[in-house]
Amino acid sequence: MKILIIEDEPSLREIMTEYLRKQRYVVESADSLKDAMFKTADYEYDCILLDIMLPDGNGLELLRKLYRTGKSGNVIIISAKDTVDDKVEGLELGADDYLAKPFHLAELNARIRSVIRRKDHDGDSAVSFGNVRVDTSSYSVTVAGSPIELNRKEYDILAFFINRPNHLVDKMNLAEAVWGDHMDQVDNFDFLYAQMKNLRKKMNDAGADVEIKANYRLGYKLVAK
Ligand code: CA
């Protein structure tokens, strides 16, 4: 799960980044409206944390842009300016939630989880395909009811695919979702092939009736066997 933090105050941005990385998210950040506009145009995020007062403009401008493209549903507004007007406008523009500063990091995490659950699983924290079940609240995976042990990246890859069954995913999109935005600058994808190989083997050994099929030119797809 990848999160974009849009926040100009360095210390808050760092605290949030560090905390959310510990919660197993891939975290990217932007410190200005301009940077946030670029990032949201170029990359996909599971949740966007949006500060309102930015040095080069108002965060609601970004929200308006996302709203026009139907992409404002996973935004949590984070604002020190706890005014009713901003809150109402933000929610009308499709923002999913509004959190006033200062806030507890645990509260932030709870709100993020709720946004992601609504977006990906219609409110349920577990999602299944075939006999494979991924529970995003406990980061656990079962195959035919028996738990299997995955490392963190293997889990992240499987969680990404189980939300997109029968959907072809290009390896760049997969790499950006699991490793981060800088993946568009890597020379090769050996790290991805290695994790994918291990994950596929573990799923197969556990008796999964679904598999992540590779097509080296087009990408990967989670399909029934
Ligand atoms: Ca600010």
Side-chain angles (χ1 to χ4, degrees):
M1 292 287 161
K2 189 164 61 161
I3 295 182
L4 176 63
I5 300 172
I6 303 166
E7 170 61 65
D8 60 305
E9 203 218 304
S11 61
L12 179 58
R13 195 173 60 240
E14 278 159 30
I15 288 167
M16 288 163 74
T17 300
E18 193 184 329
Y19 174 80
L20 292 173
R21 285 198 173 131
K22 280 193 192 134
Q23 307 300 313
R24 305 186 42 151
Y25 295 107
V26 173
V27 182
E28 302 290 343
S29 62
D31 61 3
S32 65
L33 187 61
K34 188 170 164 232
D35 192 19
M37 291 278 194
F38 276 125
K39 283 203 156 75
T40 52
D42 283 355
Y43 304 108
E44 296 288 329
Y45 301 96
D46 296 293
C47 184
I48 297 171
L49 308 177
L50 176 62
D51 181 27
I52 296 287
M53 285 185 287
L54 293 165
D56 54 344
N58 187 308
L60 290 176
E61 263 183 64
L62 173 70
L63 191 61
R64 275 186 212 103
K65 188 180 154 212
L66 294 172
Y67 183 69
R68 284 196 297 272
T69 52
K71 284 165 54 173
S72 61
N74 58 349
V75 176
I76 299 174
I77 295 172
I78 289 174
S79 180
K81 213 173 108 203
D82 192 15
T83 68
V84 173
D85 284 355
D86 273 359
K87 186 170 180 173
V88 168
E89 183 169 10
L91 296 175
E92 275 176 356
L93 287 169
D96 206 86
D97 209 341
Y98 187 101
L99 193 57
K101 287 180 195 168
F103 52 81
H104 288 288
L105 289 167
E107 176 65 19
L108 175 67
N109 191 32
R111 305 282 188 105
I112 291 170
R113 295 191 76 96
S114 141
V115 165
I116 290 174
R117 264 206 310 277
R118 273 198 291 275
K119 176 176 161 282
D120 279 347
H121 317 127
D122 296 324
D124 194 347
S125 70
V127 56
S128 300
F129 184 61
N131 63 2
V132 177
R133 183 173 187 271
V134 175
D135 188 330
T136 57
S137 64
S138 58
Y139 302 105
S140 59
V141 176
T142 59
V143 174
S146 303
I148 65 166
E149 288 296 322
L150 299 181
N151 74 25
R152 179 167 168 177
K153 290 302 180 199
E154 291 162 359
Y155 171 88
D156 288 348
I157 292 169
L158 180 58
F160 183 80
F161 277 96
I162 207 143
N163 286 307
R164 297 160 181 78
N166 298 311
H167 183 90
L168 185 69
V169 176
D170 138 309
K171 64 177 184 260
M172 180 64 79
N173 288 338
L174 173 63
E176 285 176 3
V178 174
W179 281 269
D181 291 346
H182 59 286
M183 282 298 132
D184 54 6
Q185 286 144 38
V186 298
D187 296 331
N188 71 65
F189 287 90
D190 289 350
F191 58 94
L192 187 153
Y193 302 142
Q195 299 279 359
M196 185 60 91
K197 186 177 164 212
N198 293 337
L199 171 61
R200 292 168 70 191
K201 182 173 188 316
K202 285 182 184 179
M203 288 172 69
N204 187 54
D205 290 352
D209 61 3
V210 298
E211 63 180 336
I212 300 173
K213 277 219 148 169
N215 180 317
Y216 286 99
R217 292 181 67 186
L218 296 171
Y220 296 94
K221 197 194 263 193
L222 178 65
V223 293
K225 268 187 181 168

